[in-house]
Short mmCIF file of all heavy atoms in Angstrom, two decimals:
data_model
loop_
_atom_site.label_atom_id
_atom_site.label_comp_id
_atom_site.label_asym_id
_atom_site.label_seq_id
_atom_site.Cartn_x
_atom_site.Cartn_y
_atom_site.Cartn_z
N LEU A 1 0.82 -1.19 0.01
CA LEU A 1 0.02 0.02 0.00
C LEU A 1 0.88 1.26 0.02
O LEU A 1 0.60 2.21 -0.74
CB LEU A 1 -0.92 -0.02 1.21
CG LEU A 1 -1.94 1.17 1.29
CD1 LEU A 1 -2.81 1.22 0.01
CD2 LEU A 1 -2.79 1.03 2.54
N ALA A 2 1.92 1.26 0.79
CA ALA A 2 2.83 2.41 0.79
C ALA A 2 3.50 2.63 -0.57
O ALA A 2 3.62 3.75 -1.04
CB ALA A 2 3.91 2.22 1.84
N ARG A 3 3.87 1.54 -1.24
CA ARG A 3 4.41 1.66 -2.59
C ARG A 3 3.40 2.15 -3.60
O ARG A 3 3.74 2.96 -4.46
CB ARG A 3 4.97 0.32 -3.02
CG ARG A 3 6.20 -0.09 -2.26
CD ARG A 3 6.71 -1.45 -2.66
NE ARG A 3 7.88 -1.85 -1.91
CZ ARG A 3 8.86 -2.60 -2.42
NH1 ARG A 3 8.83 -3.01 -3.67
NH2 ARG A 3 9.87 -2.90 -1.67
N LEU A 4 2.17 1.69 -3.45
CA LEU A 4 1.13 2.14 -4.41
C LEU A 4 0.91 3.65 -4.20
O LEU A 4 0.75 4.41 -5.17
CB LEU A 4 -0.18 1.39 -4.11
CG LEU A 4 -0.23 -0.05 -4.55
CD1 LEU A 4 -1.38 -0.78 -3.92
CD2 LEU A 4 -0.22 -0.16 -6.06
N LYS A 5 0.87 4.10 -2.97
CA LYS A 5 0.71 5.54 -2.66
C LYS A 5 1.84 6.33 -3.26
O LYS A 5 1.67 7.44 -3.80
CB LYS A 5 0.59 5.77 -1.17
CG LYS A 5 -0.71 5.35 -0.62
CD LYS A 5 -0.80 5.54 0.89
CE LYS A 5 -2.12 5.06 1.45
NZ LYS A 5 -2.19 5.26 2.89
N SER A 6 3.06 5.78 -3.21
CA SER A 6 4.24 6.56 -3.77
C SER A 6 4.17 6.69 -5.25
O SER A 6 4.66 7.65 -5.81
CB SER A 6 5.57 5.92 -3.28
OG SER A 6 5.76 4.70 -3.99
N ILE A 7 3.55 5.72 -5.94
CA ILE A 7 3.41 5.79 -7.38
C ILE A 7 2.34 6.80 -7.75
O ILE A 7 2.50 7.51 -8.76
CB ILE A 7 3.04 4.38 -7.95
CG1 ILE A 7 4.20 3.41 -7.66
CG2 ILE A 7 2.78 4.47 -9.45
CD1 ILE A 7 3.86 1.96 -7.95
N GLY A 8 1.24 6.89 -6.97
CA GLY A 8 0.22 7.85 -7.25
C GLY A 8 -0.83 7.44 -8.30
O GLY A 8 -1.47 8.32 -8.85
N ILE A 9 -0.95 6.16 -8.57
CA ILE A 9 -1.96 5.66 -9.53
C ILE A 9 -3.14 5.15 -8.72
O ILE A 9 -3.00 4.37 -7.78
CB ILE A 9 -1.39 4.54 -10.42
CG1 ILE A 9 -0.14 4.99 -11.19
CG2 ILE A 9 -2.46 4.00 -11.37
CD1 ILE A 9 -0.40 5.97 -12.28
N ASN A 10 -4.33 5.55 -9.12
CA ASN A 10 -5.53 5.06 -8.46
C ASN A 10 -5.56 3.53 -8.42
O ASN A 10 -5.25 2.87 -9.46
CB ASN A 10 -6.79 5.57 -9.13
CG ASN A 10 -7.02 6.99 -8.97
OD1 ASN A 10 -6.46 7.66 -8.07
ND2 ASN A 10 -7.82 7.57 -9.85
N THR A 11 -5.88 2.95 -7.22
CA THR A 11 -5.86 1.54 -7.06
C THR A 11 -7.08 1.08 -6.31
O THR A 11 -7.48 1.66 -5.31
CB THR A 11 -4.62 1.12 -6.25
OG1 THR A 11 -3.44 1.61 -6.89
CG2 THR A 11 -4.50 -0.37 -6.09
N VAL A 12 -7.72 0.02 -6.81
CA VAL A 12 -8.83 -0.59 -6.11
C VAL A 12 -8.50 -2.06 -5.78
O VAL A 12 -7.69 -2.68 -6.48
CB VAL A 12 -10.15 -0.58 -6.91
CG1 VAL A 12 -10.65 0.84 -7.07
CG2 VAL A 12 -10.03 -1.27 -8.30
N SER A 13 -9.09 -2.56 -4.73
CA SER A 13 -9.02 -3.99 -4.42
C SER A 13 -10.40 -4.53 -4.60
O SER A 13 -11.44 -3.89 -4.23
CB SER A 13 -8.53 -4.21 -3.00
OG SER A 13 -9.39 -3.68 -2.04
N VAL A 14 -10.49 -5.73 -5.18
CA VAL A 14 -11.76 -6.37 -5.45
C VAL A 14 -11.78 -7.75 -4.82
O VAL A 14 -10.90 -8.57 -5.06
CB VAL A 14 -12.03 -6.51 -6.98
CG1 VAL A 14 -13.38 -7.15 -7.19
CG2 VAL A 14 -11.90 -5.22 -7.68
N LYS A 15 -12.70 -7.98 -3.92
CA LYS A 15 -12.84 -9.29 -3.26
C LYS A 15 -13.55 -10.25 -4.21
O LYS A 15 -14.67 -10.04 -4.60
CB LYS A 15 -13.66 -9.11 -1.93
CG LYS A 15 -13.66 -10.40 -1.15
CD LYS A 15 -14.32 -10.22 0.17
CE LYS A 15 -14.34 -11.54 0.91
NZ LYS A 15 -15.10 -11.43 2.15
N ILE A 16 -12.85 -11.29 -4.56
CA ILE A 16 -13.39 -12.28 -5.48
C ILE A 16 -14.20 -13.31 -4.68
O ILE A 16 -13.60 -13.97 -3.82
CB ILE A 16 -12.27 -13.01 -6.26
CG1 ILE A 16 -11.39 -11.98 -7.00
CG2 ILE A 16 -12.84 -14.05 -7.20
CD1 ILE A 16 -12.09 -11.23 -8.11
N PRO A 17 -15.48 -13.50 -4.93
CA PRO A 17 -16.30 -14.39 -4.15
C PRO A 17 -16.03 -15.85 -4.54
O PRO A 17 -15.55 -16.22 -5.60
CB PRO A 17 -17.72 -14.00 -4.50
CG PRO A 17 -17.61 -13.46 -5.87
CD PRO A 17 -16.21 -12.80 -5.96
N LYS A 18 -16.36 -16.74 -3.56
CA LYS A 18 -16.31 -18.19 -3.83
C LYS A 18 -17.70 -18.59 -4.39
O LYS A 18 -18.52 -19.13 -3.68
CB LYS A 18 -16.03 -18.97 -2.55
CG LYS A 18 -14.68 -18.74 -1.96
CD LYS A 18 -14.50 -19.54 -0.66
CE LYS A 18 -13.14 -19.30 -0.11
NZ LYS A 18 -12.97 -20.03 1.20
N SER A 19 -17.94 -18.27 -5.65
CA SER A 19 -19.19 -18.59 -6.22
C SER A 19 -19.02 -18.92 -7.70
O SER A 19 -17.91 -19.18 -8.15
CB SER A 19 -20.17 -17.44 -6.07
OG SER A 19 -19.57 -16.20 -6.04
N SER A 20 -20.12 -18.90 -8.46
CA SER A 20 -20.08 -19.32 -9.83
C SER A 20 -19.28 -18.31 -10.71
O SER A 20 -19.04 -17.18 -10.33
CB SER A 20 -21.52 -19.44 -10.39
OG SER A 20 -22.08 -18.12 -10.49
N GLU A 21 -18.91 -18.75 -11.87
CA GLU A 21 -18.21 -17.88 -12.83
C GLU A 21 -19.07 -16.66 -13.16
O GLU A 21 -18.54 -15.52 -13.22
CB GLU A 21 -17.92 -18.61 -14.13
CG GLU A 21 -16.84 -19.68 -14.01
CD GLU A 21 -16.44 -20.32 -15.28
OE1 GLU A 21 -16.81 -19.81 -16.36
OE2 GLU A 21 -15.78 -21.41 -15.23
N GLU A 22 -20.36 -16.80 -13.31
CA GLU A 22 -21.22 -15.66 -13.63
C GLU A 22 -21.27 -14.64 -12.50
O GLU A 22 -21.15 -13.45 -12.71
CB GLU A 22 -22.66 -16.18 -13.89
CG GLU A 22 -23.60 -15.10 -14.42
CD GLU A 22 -23.20 -14.58 -15.80
OE1 GLU A 22 -22.60 -15.32 -16.59
OE2 GLU A 22 -23.46 -13.39 -16.06
N GLU A 23 -21.22 -15.12 -11.24
CA GLU A 23 -21.27 -14.21 -10.12
C GLU A 23 -19.94 -13.51 -9.97
O GLU A 23 -19.87 -12.31 -9.62
CB GLU A 23 -21.63 -14.97 -8.82
CG GLU A 23 -23.07 -15.35 -8.75
CD GLU A 23 -23.38 -16.08 -7.46
OE1 GLU A 23 -22.96 -15.68 -6.42
OE2 GLU A 23 -24.17 -17.07 -7.58
N ILE A 24 -18.87 -14.22 -10.30
CA ILE A 24 -17.53 -13.58 -10.29
C ILE A 24 -17.48 -12.49 -11.35
O ILE A 24 -16.99 -11.40 -11.09
CB ILE A 24 -16.40 -14.62 -10.48
CG1 ILE A 24 -16.34 -15.54 -9.25
CG2 ILE A 24 -15.08 -13.95 -10.74
CD1 ILE A 24 -15.40 -16.71 -9.37
N LYS A 25 -17.99 -12.75 -12.53
CA LYS A 25 -18.03 -11.78 -13.60
C LYS A 25 -18.86 -10.53 -13.20
O LYS A 25 -18.48 -9.39 -13.48
CB LYS A 25 -18.54 -12.37 -14.89
CG LYS A 25 -18.39 -11.49 -16.10
CD LYS A 25 -18.77 -12.21 -17.36
CE LYS A 25 -18.47 -11.40 -18.57
NZ LYS A 25 -18.75 -12.14 -19.83
N ASN A 26 -19.95 -10.79 -12.55
CA ASN A 26 -20.85 -9.70 -12.19
C ASN A 26 -20.32 -8.73 -11.11
O ASN A 26 -20.78 -7.62 -11.03
CB ASN A 26 -22.21 -10.27 -11.72
CG ASN A 26 -23.05 -10.82 -12.83
OD1 ASN A 26 -22.84 -10.40 -14.01
ND2 ASN A 26 -23.94 -11.72 -12.57
N ILE A 27 -19.29 -9.17 -10.34
CA ILE A 27 -18.77 -8.27 -9.33
C ILE A 27 -18.12 -7.04 -9.93
O ILE A 27 -18.03 -5.99 -9.25
CB ILE A 27 -17.76 -8.97 -8.33
CG1 ILE A 27 -16.52 -9.42 -9.09
CG2 ILE A 27 -18.45 -10.06 -7.57
CD1 ILE A 27 -15.40 -9.76 -8.15
N PHE A 28 -17.72 -7.10 -11.18
CA PHE A 28 -17.09 -5.96 -11.84
C PHE A 28 -18.09 -4.93 -12.32
O PHE A 28 -17.73 -3.86 -12.75
CB PHE A 28 -16.17 -6.43 -12.98
CG PHE A 28 -15.13 -7.40 -12.47
CD1 PHE A 28 -15.08 -8.69 -12.88
CD2 PHE A 28 -14.16 -6.96 -11.56
CE1 PHE A 28 -14.09 -9.57 -12.43
CE2 PHE A 28 -13.16 -7.82 -11.09
CZ PHE A 28 -13.14 -9.12 -11.53
N HIS A 29 -19.41 -5.30 -12.22
CA HIS A 29 -20.51 -4.37 -12.60
C HIS A 29 -21.17 -3.75 -11.36
O HIS A 29 -22.14 -3.02 -11.49
CB HIS A 29 -21.60 -5.11 -13.41
CG HIS A 29 -21.08 -5.61 -14.74
ND1 HIS A 29 -20.77 -4.71 -15.78
CD2 HIS A 29 -20.79 -6.85 -15.19
CE1 HIS A 29 -20.38 -5.44 -16.78
NE2 HIS A 29 -20.36 -6.68 -16.47
N SER A 30 -20.60 -4.02 -10.22
CA SER A 30 -21.11 -3.48 -8.94
C SER A 30 -19.88 -3.08 -8.13
O SER A 30 -18.80 -3.66 -8.22
CB SER A 30 -21.86 -4.57 -8.20
OG SER A 30 -22.09 -4.17 -6.85
N SER A 31 -20.07 -2.06 -7.31
CA SER A 31 -18.93 -1.62 -6.48
C SER A 31 -18.99 -2.20 -5.05
O SER A 31 -18.25 -1.79 -4.20
CB SER A 31 -18.89 -0.09 -6.42
OG SER A 31 -20.09 0.43 -5.86
N ASN A 32 -19.93 -3.15 -4.82
CA ASN A 32 -20.11 -3.73 -3.52
C ASN A 32 -18.89 -4.45 -2.98
O ASN A 32 -18.63 -4.44 -1.77
CB ASN A 32 -21.32 -4.69 -3.51
CG ASN A 32 -22.61 -3.94 -3.71
OD1 ASN A 32 -22.69 -2.72 -3.50
ND2 ASN A 32 -23.66 -4.64 -4.08
N GLN A 33 -18.14 -5.13 -3.83
CA GLN A 33 -16.96 -5.89 -3.42
C GLN A 33 -15.66 -5.17 -3.73
O GLN A 33 -14.60 -5.74 -3.62
CB GLN A 33 -16.99 -7.24 -4.11
CG GLN A 33 -18.16 -8.14 -3.73
CD GLN A 33 -18.16 -8.49 -2.26
OE1 GLN A 33 -17.12 -8.74 -1.64
NE2 GLN A 33 -19.35 -8.49 -1.64
N THR A 34 -15.79 -3.88 -4.14
CA THR A 34 -14.62 -3.14 -4.54
C THR A 34 -14.37 -2.00 -3.55
O THR A 34 -15.32 -1.30 -3.14
CB THR A 34 -14.83 -2.54 -5.96
OG1 THR A 34 -15.17 -3.63 -6.79
CG2 THR A 34 -13.64 -1.83 -6.44
N LYS A 35 -13.11 -1.81 -3.20
CA LYS A 35 -12.75 -0.70 -2.25
C LYS A 35 -11.53 0.07 -2.84
O LYS A 35 -10.69 -0.55 -3.52
CB LYS A 35 -12.34 -1.26 -0.89
CG LYS A 35 -13.49 -1.89 -0.17
CD LYS A 35 -13.07 -2.37 1.20
CE LYS A 35 -14.28 -2.98 1.88
NZ LYS A 35 -13.99 -3.43 3.21
N TRP A 36 -11.50 1.35 -2.53
CA TRP A 36 -10.32 2.13 -2.92
C TRP A 36 -9.19 1.77 -1.94
O TRP A 36 -9.28 1.89 -0.77
CB TRP A 36 -10.61 3.64 -2.85
CG TRP A 36 -11.49 4.15 -3.93
CD1 TRP A 36 -12.79 4.53 -3.83
CD2 TRP A 36 -11.09 4.27 -5.31
NE1 TRP A 36 -13.24 4.96 -5.06
CE2 TRP A 36 -12.22 4.77 -5.97
CE3 TRP A 36 -9.94 4.03 -6.03
CZ2 TRP A 36 -12.23 5.06 -7.31
CZ3 TRP A 36 -9.96 4.28 -7.38
CH2 TRP A 36 -11.07 4.76 -8.03
N ALA A 37 -8.08 1.29 -2.53
CA ALA A 37 -6.88 1.11 -1.75
C ALA A 37 -6.12 2.47 -1.72
O ALA A 37 -5.56 2.87 -0.72
CB ALA A 37 -5.97 0.04 -2.34
N TYR A 38 -6.19 3.14 -2.85
CA TYR A 38 -5.59 4.49 -2.97
C TYR A 38 -6.37 5.23 -4.08
O TYR A 38 -6.64 4.70 -5.15
CB TYR A 38 -4.10 4.41 -3.39
CG TYR A 38 -3.50 5.75 -3.67
CD1 TYR A 38 -3.11 6.60 -2.64
CD2 TYR A 38 -3.36 6.21 -4.99
CE1 TYR A 38 -2.62 7.87 -2.90
CE2 TYR A 38 -2.84 7.44 -5.25
CZ TYR A 38 -2.49 8.27 -4.22
OH TYR A 38 -1.94 9.51 -4.42
N HIS A 39 -6.70 6.50 -3.79
CA HIS A 39 -7.37 7.35 -4.74
C HIS A 39 -6.66 8.69 -4.75
O HIS A 39 -6.65 9.39 -3.74
CB HIS A 39 -8.84 7.51 -4.40
CG HIS A 39 -9.57 8.17 -5.51
ND1 HIS A 39 -9.60 9.56 -5.69
CD2 HIS A 39 -10.36 7.68 -6.50
CE1 HIS A 39 -10.34 9.83 -6.74
NE2 HIS A 39 -10.84 8.71 -7.23
N TYR A 40 -6.01 9.04 -5.83
CA TYR A 40 -5.16 10.23 -5.90
C TYR A 40 -5.93 11.50 -5.50
O TYR A 40 -5.51 12.30 -4.73
CB TYR A 40 -4.60 10.40 -7.29
CG TYR A 40 -3.74 11.64 -7.43
CD1 TYR A 40 -2.47 11.70 -6.92
CD2 TYR A 40 -4.32 12.78 -8.02
CE1 TYR A 40 -1.72 12.88 -7.02
CE2 TYR A 40 -3.56 13.95 -8.11
CZ TYR A 40 -2.27 14.02 -7.60
OH TYR A 40 -1.55 15.18 -7.68
N GLU A 41 -7.11 11.69 -6.12
CA GLU A 41 -7.89 12.92 -5.88
C GLU A 41 -8.31 13.02 -4.42
O GLU A 41 -8.23 14.11 -3.82
CB GLU A 41 -9.08 12.99 -6.80
CG GLU A 41 -9.81 14.32 -6.74
CD GLU A 41 -10.94 14.39 -7.74
OE1 GLU A 41 -11.28 13.40 -8.39
OE2 GLU A 41 -11.49 15.49 -7.89
N GLN A 42 -8.75 11.91 -3.88
CA GLN A 42 -9.17 11.93 -2.45
C GLN A 42 -7.97 12.19 -1.54
O GLN A 42 -8.05 12.93 -0.59
CB GLN A 42 -9.87 10.64 -2.12
CG GLN A 42 -10.55 10.68 -0.76
CD GLN A 42 -11.32 9.42 -0.51
OE1 GLN A 42 -10.99 8.31 -0.98
NE2 GLN A 42 -12.39 9.51 0.27
N ALA A 43 -6.86 11.54 -1.85
CA ALA A 43 -5.69 11.69 -1.03
C ALA A 43 -5.08 13.10 -1.11
O ALA A 43 -4.50 13.60 -0.14
CB ALA A 43 -4.61 10.68 -1.44
#
């Protein structure tokens, strides 16, 4: 995380569920399992 912040590129972490392929694909269409690890504008 410290290295990511030093680079200054927006970074998200996405929790991949233990579920079907379709459900795994669908997580990229929702922000429920996605968190900002680093966001330049916010920081």
Side-chain angles (χ1 to χ4, degrees):
L1 183 57
R3 290 177 181 215
L4 289 166
K5 288 178 180 180
S6 73
I7 297 169
I9 301 290
N10 290 342
T11 304
V12 293
S13 64
V14 182
K15 186 175 181 187
I16 304 294
K18 292 180 181 178
S19 31
S20 70
E21 289 185 15
E22 188 65 30
E23 287 180 43
I24 291 172
K25 188 174 187 175
N26 286 338
I27 64 166
F28 303 115
H29 295 289
S30 167
S31 62
N32 293 342
Q33 297 296 321
T34 305
K35 294 184 180 183
W36 287 109
Y38 174 78
H39 190 280
Y40 177 80
E41 188 176 8
Q42 189 175 31

